[in-house]
Amino acid sequence: MERKHKLLNWQLATWTQLSKAKLAHTLPHALLLWGTEHESLYYFGKLWLQNLVCISKERDPQQGPCHQCTACHWFTAATHPDFLELTPEGNSQWIQVDQARTLVAFVQQTAASSGPKVVLIHPAENLNVNASNALLKTLEEPPANTYILLLTTQPNRLAATVRSRCRQQKLPQPTDMELVVWLKERGYDENQIGLATGLAPGAPYTALHLIESNFAEFEPLASGLERLLMASDSTSAVAEAFTKDQAIHLNWFSKLISLLIRRRLDPNREVPEKLQLLSEYSEKVSVGRLIEYLDGISQQHRLLQIHSGLNRQLAWEALLLEWQAMFRSDVSNQR
Ligand SMILES: [Zn+2]
């Protein structure tokens, strides 16, 4: 069963702002909500739409949906007849034009309940070109009492024609301190929290999953990199291991280097216990060099997405040889 998600403290101001707009009848019919973490956007967005369809009269809408009425039950069971969710289906990463047409037909039907019709589109940057075009007219002039919510972590990747037809609203992310407090309330220890918030700043659910999984996704990357620094394993062996689930490894590699850079820029920042060795090594390298290396990882990530035929083993070996070389020569690192 899906955990019951509540509003998070740092989201309250946005919630209040939207609630007030609803009461004042100024709520936009097409709202593009953007932020740093998809899951945060998703739970907030679902709760907001449930709040719009909730029919309880005894509640204060600013406090959220009642979770008791039939509309709330239908909504959480994903059977509410006036709610439609558009997200990539099957193996596709894209939201297709057929789905967009379903949406257009859906908003034109008469509502089954007495409340509004609500639509959720996520991740909105995955609307393909044809789907985007099919939605333009509906986004511009949605039927009365219809609310379309689009969620994205990459607003710049949306078609400009879609973006310009939506009101844009940012969903704030937690500060480091807010995130630490939130995780502490869940009873985790300081070491776990330090590592999770370092790797996933501003991303509460990512940090939570890291801790709950005992850092299962991050662990192989960190230990592989350490083995290379201590020369206890060969570049080709580590590279080969990283070719499996490589998108995951590249993601955490970026997050790790970002953490090391932040730590260099703010030496008072505590180093998580698990990263002592990597952090010590990173002290030997200039910040500029680390930033360059981070760029290299991003480039490789993009290349691997575009060219499925790329030789992964060679690409990883190049990246890891550079990783080792970075710490070897003091002279070249002074630039
Ligand atoms: Zn309700």
Side-chain angles (χ1 to χ4, degrees), residues 14-15 18 27-34 41-50 52 75 83-86 95 103 117-124 127 135 139 146-152 166-169:
T14 307
W15 183 274
L18 291 174
L27 190 65
H29 289 275
L31 179 67
L32 174 63
L33 191 65
W34 60 278
L41 290 164
Y42 182 70
Y43 294 130
F44 180 95
K46 284 284 286 271
L47 202 62
W48 173 248
L49 295 183
Q50 185 183 338
L52 290 180
F75 190 89
F83 168 56
L84 180 69
E85 183 170 346
L86 248 61
I95 298 172
L103 185 160
K117 277 205 233 176
V118 294
V119 176
L120 185 64
I121 304 177
H122 70 99
L127 282 164
L135 289 180
L139 289 174
T146 299
Y147 297 97
I148 302 171
L149 178 62
L150 300 91
L151 308 176
T152 184
C166 302
R167 174 92 60 84
Q168 297 186 34
Q169 169 104 35

Side-chain angles (χ1 to χ4, degrees), residues 285-294 322 326 332-333 335:
V285 183
S286 73
V287 173
R289 185 76 187 82
L290 287 171
I291 292 173
E292 245 176 60
Y293 192 72
L294 181 60
E322 198 190 335
M326 193 157 61
S332 67
N333 290 330
R335 61 200 160 107

Side-chain angles (χ1 to χ4, degrees), residues 54-56 65-69 72:
C54 175
I55 51 174
S56 165
C66 75
H67 296 292
Q68 307 286 333
C69 69
C72 278

Side-chain angles (χ1 to χ4, degrees), residues 65-66 92 95 146 149 152 160 214 248 265 277-278 316 320:
C66 75
S92 173
I95 298 172
T146 299
L149 178 62
T152 184
N214 202 16
I248 291 173
L265 296 175
L277 181 75
L278 289 170
W316 270 107
L320 295 176

